[in-house]
Amino acid sequence: MTASPGGSAPALELQRLDVPFGDAPGLRGLSLAVAHGEHVVIVGPSGSGKTSLLRAIAGLTSGCAGSVWVDGRSVTAEPPERRRVVYLHQTPVLFPHLSVFENVAFPLRVRGMSRGAANARVDEALAAVRLGDLAGRRPRTLSGGQAHRVALARAVVADPAVLLLDEPLTGLDPELRRDVRAGILEMAARARAAVVVVSHDLEEAGLLADRVAVLSDGGIGQIGTPRDVFARPATAAIARFLGIANWFRGQIRDEKVTCVFGEFCSPADDAAVGPVAIACGTDALRIDRASAVSGIVQSRHFGVDRATVTVRIGSTELSVRVDPRCVPEAGESVGVVADFARLLVYPAGPEGSDSPA
Amino acid sequence: MRARGRATIGLVAGGLVAAPVLIGIAYAGLAAVGLAGVGRAGAGGGRVFRVLGDPESWEAVWWSVRTAAAATAIAAVAAVGVGLAFRGQARGHRAAHLLSVLPLPIPHLVAAAAGVLLLSQSGVLARLAYAVGLINGPAQMPLVVGDPAGVGFVLTLAWKEFPFLALVTFSLLATRGPAMEEAARTLGATPRQTFRRVTMPMLSRGLLPAIIVVFIVIAGSYEAGALLSGSHPQPLPVLTYERYLDVDLSRRGDAYALTLLGLVIGVTAVALHEWARAWSDDGG
Amino acid sequence: MGVSRANAASRAVLLAALTVSAGTPFVVLGVTSAAGSWFFPAVWPASWTGDAWALLAGSLGSATWASTAIATSTAALSCLVGWPTGRAIAALSGWRRHLAAALAFLPVAAPAIAVGIGAQYFFLRVGLAGTWAGVVLAHAIPASGLASLYFLSVFLTVDLRMEDEARSLGAGPWLVLARVTVPALRRQVAEAAALGFLVSWSQVPLTLLVGGGTVRTLPIQVFSYLHAGEERYAAAGALLLVVPPMLVLGAAVFATGRTEVVTA
């Protein structure tokens, strides 16, 4: 029952998968390949069909077109139990009538393994999630974090090629988040499984992903490392979903973009002419007394590990990252400079749609 | 301090609601040993021993327990069957839910009346059997109303209690089922294994408190027993009431001992029910 | 999910069986209530009569009125007892809650005939035996237990932080109860009242024992018609007995799309 990665075949491959989502068309023509041991986080706004996608991969929904391949084998027509894909619900679903030990032994028992033969594997899995001494407990008596770990141990015992996780860290407090994240990474490494996570939470994506895929318009709008995707969103819609803070207008001509901060070369090499929407994060802007562009500080915001100020320049309000040790006062006049290399330039949408709602 | 006060209030409130029954038990207890009530015969355990030594008492207890168990079992099996056949979005599930639940609030008396009209030897079923040539007269129709075995009673009360168990089954399958069964499937269980290892344990634990309630209700039912049972043996509630109305005052006193017996069964069932609820919450 | 392996044909058979099962009693009672001469082996009555339904102006009418008044009073009384009891029990935890819930369950579970025999002596002593008030009080014994259990389940699940909110907004405890909690839980109160009504509406043994033959509710009337072999009158009365329960069920289904009002 050991995983036998089929040569170079990806652990999971989706080919032109259509996933209906309620009455809506849902996801269309989605293709994705995930390697053994790789972690892909699929992010998208609530209601974009993320859970439906996981259920389709696990074989829990009917009415999907396209094909699903696991380890180089098409499982499109297989029932859930023969796909080597384990789907973990958002909150752990443990069998309440079974003890922790019996829960973890479940995948082995349903494959016909005797209780005795299952013992060693279960003990090992429980030890790996540091729950060896809770084996006899009922699920109801476990804390949230313990239940998560039992569900993970049980999933790994099933020897999956693919682990599907539905928002595994959402709604957990920071300490539990760390705990569950460590459990996921450790268990996934043990199983050498491909891990596919769906989430609407970018923080979660950054914590778990080797690659991030952003759902947009019923398909994958962009896929890449978290660093690439977060730094260079492919479209204005993806940038907005990622919560890029600052939006202002500019003009493009001869591959030169002109905006309030001056003129710079367009990062894209198209020869468009006309208005553009420019976006950037708070750390692409900086307070600089020498700057010719100045504005009035409207308000100050302090986070745990950063501080920002809102500066009004003309009719535009921009959020600027500042050194927490010297934050300008509200009402103060400050100069602002932009790091041109980090400005994102998109074709301007319809009037008024290029600033965050 | 406040928490302690609240703890007492809740127990006192529960005790007040139970008070009429608790007082009734005490009174029946006193009356049973001859210290109170009609047919007071001076203190002594003689009456209790006479009732406990009377085979008729135990025949009544056995009749009530046996028929209640049979009717409950039939209703539970039917409820689980219908629930599984029409779970989720299965074709016709709306109609099945509605039809199953429809007779839910019908009084026992009405169910018993319909049972008599339908099942007696000259009842509607007998007439239909005659019309298609299965029988040649009322006497050939199997006796199920007023019979010693209590077949009519069992059928009628199984019909009466089926909706309640069906309702509980439907809600268990809808709320607890899908996620757990999906988890089982992706962990490698076949549909058959999922049914045996997840669905059935979940249903049996979830249903047990409701099954105990149904058993209690049937075992304590007076009017259906009075209309559908025979004169010997009688259901315990019917025997109790007949003793209570007996013209012989000493026999009338026996009713208190029988009452006590009925209440003991009731209290036992209540304890079982609380235990089953705790067990069901624990893992159902 | 493929867990239910019943195919379409067996489902169709089951649906037909459910239809027959749910419908037959009503058909039988309906036909019987209007059947004139209907002797074995006739499958259908030879003649029809409306004399049973004419009793609506007589014994069945007055019994219906008595039952309605008694059941309505019982419903109100059981809610008044059940609300605070359920709430107090919900505040408990651990074995205390189990014990208190078991106590509240006792009047529901104890055989009514046993409860009635135990209680009758006291009703006789205080002069309530044979009176409507006495019958209401007797019916309130099981109805209050049921209402307490019902409100217990309500208060275990309902988020009562709205009361804190209202208190901090300046409302006193009684004002909070009258303006916030009760209105917010009006559907639950209606369901509890419906339960209490149905317990009383279908009660036979407690009425027999405490009413002592002078309080003739509809079930008592039907019960005695059945004993006397007056099947036509009994069937008409039985159909009358079904009307309020069906209205309650219909209201519950209509109001919530669910069927939570339960009488075992």
Side-chain angles (χ1 to χ4, degrees):
Chain A
M1 300 270 295
T2 51
S4 54
S8 60
L12 173 71
E13 188 170 6
L14 310 178
Q15 291 178 354
R16 293 182 304 284
L17 195 63
D18 288 354
V19 182
F21 178 51
D23 294 328
L27 303 170
R28 292 176 309 274
L30 193 138
S31 295
L32 174 71
V34 187
H36 281 278
E38 190 190 13
H39 300 186
V40 171
V41 179
I42 299 173
V43 294
S46 300
S48 57
K50 299 186 300 292
T51 299
S52 307
L53 172 61
L54 287 196
R55 295 173 57 85
I57 300 173
L60 295 169
T61 24
S62 50
C64 303
S67 58
V68 179
W69 298 70
V70 173
D71 253 351
R73 179 177 67 103
S74 171
V75 297
T76 316
E78 298 279 8
E81 69 271 18
R82 288 210 291 269
R83 293 190 168 208
R84 297 194 55 225
V85 171
V86 174
Y87 169 58
L88 286 137
H89 290 79
Q90 183 174 356
T91 48
V93 174
L94 301 179
F95 306 123
H97 58 288
L98 302 178
S99 69
V100 166
F101 183 93
E102 290 163 333
N103 260 283
V104 177
F106 184 89
L108 303 173
R109 304 280 289 142
V110 297
R111 286 170 173 79
M113 196 182 280
S114 71
R115 194 179 295 268
N119 268 352
R121 293 271 304 274
V122 175
D123 285 340
E124 188 194 358
L126 281 174
V129 290
R130 304 186 306 287
L131 288 174
D133 44 344
L134 299 184
R137 293 266 287 270
R138 290 270 158 188
R140 203 171 72 100
T141 65
L142 301 177
S143 71
Q146 289 166 342
H148 271 282
R149 290 184 347 231
V150 173
L152 280 168
R154 188 179 65 179
V156 167
V157 162
D159 189 29
V162 181
L163 268 180
L164 305 176
L165 303 165
D166 193 347
E167 312 209 325
L169 305 182
T170 303
L172 305 182
D173 62 54
E175 200 170 336
L176 198 52
R177 224 166 210 246
R178 269 197 297 280
D179 197 30
V180 173
R181 174 177 179 262
I184 292 169
L185 296 181
E186 192 181 323
M187 288 294 105
R190 287 177 82 88
R192 290 192 77 288
V195 177
V196 178
V197 179
V198 297
S199 180
H200 69 269
D201 179 352
L202 302 163
E203 191 80 22
E204 181 167 353
L207 284 170
L208 292 170
D210 298 326
R211 284 192 295 158
V212 173
V214 187
L215 289 182
S216 166
D217 285 331
I220 292 180
Q222 187 179 5
I223 183 164
T225 65
R227 178 186 164 142
D228 287 350
V229 173
F230 294 165
R232 290 262 159 233
T235 65
I238 293 175
R240 279 204 194 86
F241 169 70
L242 296 180
I244 302 290
N246 295 313
W247 292 81
F248 48 96
R249 297 184 143 258
Q251 288 288 331
I252 188 167
R253 177 195 290 271
D254 300 336
E255 296 184 26
K256 294 270 186 211
V257 180
T258 318
C259 69
V260 61
F261 295 106
E263 193 181 78
F264 62 99
C265 287
S266 167
D269 35 56
D270 58 294
V273 174
V276 289
I278 301 171
C280 70
T282 57
D283 50 349
L285 303 178
R286 157 170 72 78
I287 302 286
D288 188 335
R289 287 180 207 294
S291 171
V293 181
S294 70
I296 307 294
V297 174
Q298 306 290 307
S299 54
R300 323 190 306 163
H301 314 277
F302 294 91
V304 174
D305 48 10
R306 67 169 127 183
T308 56
V309 290
T310 303
V311 180
R312 186 176 194 90
I313 302 170
S315 64
T316 316
E317 286 198 346
L318 297 171
S319 184
V320 182
R321 183 81 68 90
V322 295
D323 183 341
R325 286 163 305 179
C326 50
V327 179
E329 299 292 329
E332 209 175 301
S333 177
V334 294
V336 179
V337 291
D339 178 355
F340 289 137
R342 298 174 68 187
L343 298 189
L344 307 163
V345 179
Y346 302 106
E351 195 60 32
S353 71
D354 55 2
S355 59
Chain B
M1 200 53 217
R2 191 184 156 132
R4 175 63 62 95
R6 298 192 111 193
T8 324
I9 291 172
L11 283 175
V12 169
L16 281 178
V17 171
V21 182
L22 296 174
I23 293 171
I25 292 176
Y27 173 72
L30 288 176
V33 296
L35 289 173
V38 197
R40 192 174 341 189
R47 180 181 278 164
V48 176
F49 288 120
R50 192 171 74 225
V51 169
L52 290 183
D54 182 355
E56 206 173 352
S57 312
W58 294 106
E59 278 166 17
V61 169
W62 174 234
W63 197 95
S64 286
V65 168
R66 179 175 61 77
T67 53
T72 307
I74 293 172
V77 168
V80 170
V82 171
L84 287 173
F86 292 99
R87 69 179 308 186
Q89 301 298 310
R91 228 179 130 79
H93 75 279
R94 266 174 217 286
H97 283 219
L98 190 64
L99 286 169
S100 300
V101 174
L102 191 66
L104 181 66
I106 290 180
H108 275 199
L109 179 61
V110 176
V116 169
L117 294 173
L118 200 60
L119 301 172
S120 68
Q121 278 184 309
S122 58
V124 173
L125 275 187
R127 290 159 194 254
L128 289 174
Y130 183 88
V132 299
L134 281 175
I135 58 171
N136 294 319
Q140 284 184 330
M141 188 68 187
L143 180 70
V144 295
V145 172
D147 58 324
V151 175
F153 179 83
V154 168
L155 291 177
T156 303
L157 284 148
W159 177 83
K160 163 71 193 107
E161 298 304 337
F162 160 76
F164 173 61
L165 293 178
L167 186 66
V168 177
T169 308
F170 278 131
S171 95
L172 280 173
L173 284 172
T175 56
R176 296 186 185 180
M180 261 197 281
E181 290 167 343
E182 286 169 8
R185 290 296 296 281
T186 72
L187 289 167
T190 61
R192 190 181 294 265
Q193 285 172 325
T194 305
F195 181 73
R196 193 167 58 83
R197 289 172 178 269
V198 176
T199 313
M200 277 321 281
M202 171 195 79
L203 274 183
S204 53
R205 283 177 182 245
L207 268 178
L208 190 65
I211 283 177
I212 294 177
V213 167
V214 165
F215 178 89
I216 298 170
V217 165
I218 298 178
S221 166
Y222 167 75
E223 55 269 39
L227 293 168
L228 290 160
S229 77
S231 54
H232 185 92
Q234 284 176 311
L236 183 60
V238 178
L239 180 69
T240 308
Y241 189 60
E242 295 221 334
R243 285 282 186 278
Y244 192 65
L245 296 182
D246 207 303
V247 281
D248 176 352
L249 285 186
S250 78
R251 297 276 282 174
R252 193 182 285 200
D254 290 357
Y256 293 113
L258 289 170
T259 298
L260 215 50
L261 208 54
L263 289 170
V264 165
I265 296 175
V267 171
T268 313
V270 167
L272 270 177
H273 177 259
E274 276 308 304
W275 167 80
R277 271 209 340 199
W279 184 68
S280 160
D281 287 350
D282 190 41
Chain C
M1 278 298 298
V3 170
S4 106
R5 285 182 303 283
N7 57 28
S10 64
R11 274 205 291 272
V13 171
L14 261 181
L15 264 188
L18 283 173
T19 310
V20 170
S21 160
T24 304
F26 297 102
V27 174
V28 168
L29 288 171
V31 173
T32 307
S33 74
S37 67
W38 192 18
F39 298 107
F40 193 91
V43 174
W44 201 244
S47 66
W48 302 90
T49 170
D51 70 342
W53 292 104
L55 286 179
L56 271 178
S59 63
L60 286 181
S62 61
T64 304
W65 157 239
S67 270
T68 308
I70 287 170
T72 307
S73 315
T74 306
L77 186 56
S78 65
C79 279
L80 286 175
V81 176
W83 174 291
T85 308
R87 182 148 192 185
I89 297 177
L92 303 179
S93 58
W95 66 268
R96 285 194 179 85
R97 189 194 291 163
H98 277 294
L99 177 62
L103 283 169
F105 189 40
L106 194 56
V108 186
I113 205 87
V115 174
I117 288 176
Q120 195 194 23
Y121 172 77
F122 296 93
F123 281 85
L124 282 168
R125 284 291 295 268
V126 296
L128 281 170
T131 67
W132 283 29
V135 171
V136 168
L137 280 178
H139 287 189
I141 295 173
S144 300
L146 194 58
S148 304
L149 291 176
Y150 178 80
F151 279 115
L152 167 62
S153 72
V154 168
F155 285 115
L156 284 179
T157 50
V158 162
D159 183 359
L160 284 176
R161 284 177 304 179
M162 60 184 171
E163 292 191 332
D164 302 341
E165 203 92 346
R167 290 298 294 274
S168 72
L169 291 171
W174 290 105
L175 207 55
V176 168
L177 189 70
R179 294 279 185 82
V180 178
T181 324
V182 172
L185 299 180
R186 61 185 183 282
R187 187 176 66 81
Q188 285 85 345
V189 172
E191 288 186 359
L195 283 178
F197 185 95
L198 292 182
V199 166
S200 168
W201 179 259
S202 46
Q203 186 57 246
V204 175
L206 285 173
T207 320
L208 275 180
L209 283 160
V210 174
T214 52
V215 181
R216 294 201 75 78
T217 60
L218 190 52
I220 296 300
Q221 199 68 51
V222 171
F223 191 65
S224 48
Y225 280 141
L226 279 170
H227 261 307
E230 299 277 12
E231 292 182 347
R232 184 161 62 241
Y233 303 156
L239 282 176
L240 285 176
L241 270 175
V242 172
V243 173
M246 283 301 148
L247 288 179
V248 167
L249 186 70
V253 171
F254 178 76
T256 62
R258 295 174 301 159
T259 42
E260 278 198 353
V261 175
V262 163
T263 45

